[in-house]
Amino acid sequence: MSSDLHGNAPDNSSVVLLLVDVINDLEFPGGDVLAQHALPAARNIAALKDKASRAGVPTIYVNDNFGKWRSDFRTLVSHCIDDDTRGRAIAGILKPQPADYFVLKPKQSGFYSTTLDLLLEHLGAQTLIIAGFTGDICILFTAIDAHIRDYRLILPSDCIVSQDMGENARILSYAARVLDADIRRATELSLPAAPG
Amino acid sequence: MSSDLHGNAPDNSSVVLLLVDVINDLEFPGGDVLAQHALPAARNIAALKDKASRAGVPTIYVNDNFGKWRSDFRTLVSHCIDDDTRGRAIAGILKPQPADYFVLKPKQSGFYSTTLDLLLEHLGAQTLIIAGFTGDICILFTAIDAHIRDYRLILPSDCIVSQDMGENARILSYAARVLDADIRRATELSLPAAPG
Amino acid sequence: MSSDLHGNAPDNSSVVLLLVDVINDLEFPGGDVLAQHALPAARNIAALKDKASRAGVPTIYVNDNFGKWRSDFRTLVSHCIDDDTRGRAIAGILKPQPADYFVLKPKQSGFYSTTLDLLLEHLGAQTLIIAGFTGDICILFTAIDAHIRDYRLILPSDCIVSQDMGENARILSYAARVLDADIRRATELSLPAAPG
Amino acid sequence: MSSDLHGNAPDNSSVVLLLVDVINDLEFPGGDVLAQHALPAARNIAALKDKASRAGVPTIYVNDNFGKWRSDFRTLVSHCIDDDTRGRAIAGILKPQPADYFVLKPKQSGFYSTTLDLLLEHLGAQTLIIAGFTGDICILFTAIDAHIRDYRLILPSDCIVSQDMGENARILSYAARVLDADIRRATELSLPAAPG
């Protein structure tokens, strides 16, 4: 996000970009496999975030608290980057900026026991672009909760990964069929030009 | 449920049986196909409900209100049976008894905007057996919401159907893998003997 | 509500009337005292409900389930009237009509663990007129939950009673100060004329 | 909290201390009056927090986000102390320590649209000691939401203040009567000795 927007992203936007669990040390069994899929996706997400920013679409980091109930988001970011974790490169590429919002989630869905729904209402969101990982768990749970709350969904297929990419593809097809999600690649998405 | 238990099902049980959308007129596109899968499943569910009753496991009908915000559950049952709908035979087989509980849900998940979670807490439930249809939508949404709330899940594969039975099988595998659900057939389930 | 509106109350209205716990057997300690205050209030509420109906404002009965998790609202109404309870006259005056909505609440607030918020969203409600009893418990809890969800509040002082009418008056003053509630008498309220 | 407990407060405790809105710049109309009541209360709260810590009772700061959706708690603390606000002395006395938990609330009640309930469940809390300000708004709203969720309540009368101290006293009496709250002064409370 360009520096002149620091702290000044629009407070009102019908489209909002959610980045799910991208700040993640990936230090769990299978995290190395996930990291291989997630690194190229992170570059796609960064490009999408940049396009969103230029279109006036705010970004919310919807991130696991990883059971650390006393931590804030800043501490999580520092941990992933400074402690040389498997998620270091990804966290570096997608490092949050001052204009970004964040919501720490204690469970898989970004809506469960968090303030996400109220923040989205505050922003006037109607369409959610959801990116991050993993597609078959936290992205799916969050997308289902968004659908049940009547948000329109965009799940760019090149910005969502899982450990098993076959299952990732099946989940995206499911989301297209049952949640009416648009699953085109991020490069095919046209975001509205920012006002003014 | 045997008549001597009418209105006297135990108010406390660590295992609870949820019947999702079994009271359903099936009068929607594809409802005829679903009815073909659902009728034999309804017989399996009736046998499971009987076994549950004998084991002291209460049943909660978790049923769509079908957009009829003024209706009560009794009216829905009457509509399905008396109006000669596609769902008539199934509703007849699974007609609620006085000892059963019911929760009307306005959306796909039984937990969303309903009192289900509080009722389960009131009953002391820790394990949910979920049966009904469709496996790929209302059952999955409800099972995910149950998993996120730390309930243990049993999804008997012969008591859950969808229009597309291939997708139904994939969803059950997904639930076994991601939600740690037990997906054995109902006949293979051993329910605890009812106390006293 | 006039008979020609049966089942045809508008599904969309920015103003909605909530009747809290008016279907109530009052068979608890102090219920006799409450009944003395509630009977004249019930007549005021009936007049208000009639005025609301003529203005196209729908009514939602938001009523305790009194710990009877298997009951539906119809059974509660029958119990209060047919069993010759202390609440019989009040339930008779305020007997629900087919056009009315109802929500059973398991706790004091009408919003807690119920579908009320989603029903209000479905109706497009922005202003809630809350009437019933008791002012110092279920009405206050419900009004606070409504205020926190940004509904505008009208609490007509002649349609709300508590066992201790001094406390009732203090709670109404509190609601006027903290919840920005309009606490004028129902007779002073002008409801918009119904469209059409 | 003694330094040897830093980051090591017990993760399990049936009693939890909630500090409501004590990190507060008080830069609003009437904030100067509130500050006069709040400063001595802050000293009582600090003593209570110390007693709680020695008894192994964890503290959760339940604090308004003041409409700053992008801020974390650390930034709020810095703002109150470094910007020389009316709330500076109080924030200094009650400065959070590494062992403390925090929950940012977007509205008056600490339970609304936050993760507080899940955190309390994670901690195994059954009794909540609530302190802070203001008694007649955020403390009352939070206490009502706690009562409806079946928490036992302690509202120490010398640790809760409002702009209007007469109203503060009436609200405490109300909480004692309706919410079964223990409203003795903090000095009269005996907390269980910490295990081990």
Side-chain angles (χ1 to χ4, degrees), chain A residues 107 136 150 167 174 177, chain B residues 107 136 150 167 174 177:
Chain A
K107 296 272 190 158
D136 62 345
D150 295 328
E167 183 74 343
Y174 174 88
R177 179 175 67 87
Chain B
K107 296 272 190 157
D136 61 345
D150 295 327
E167 183 75 343
Y174 174 88
R177 179 175 67 88

Side-chain angles (χ1 to χ4, degrees), chain C residues 73-87:
Chain C
F73 186 49
R74 224 188 282 180
T75 309
L76 283 177
V77 176
S78 300
H79 161 62
C80 289
I81 293 181
D82 300 343
D83 293 353
D84 194 13
T85 69
R86 282 174 179 162

Side-chain angles (χ1 to χ4, degrees), chain B residues 20 39 90 116 137 153:
Chain B
V20 174
L39 189 57
I90 294 162
L116 179 59
I137 305 186
L153 286 174

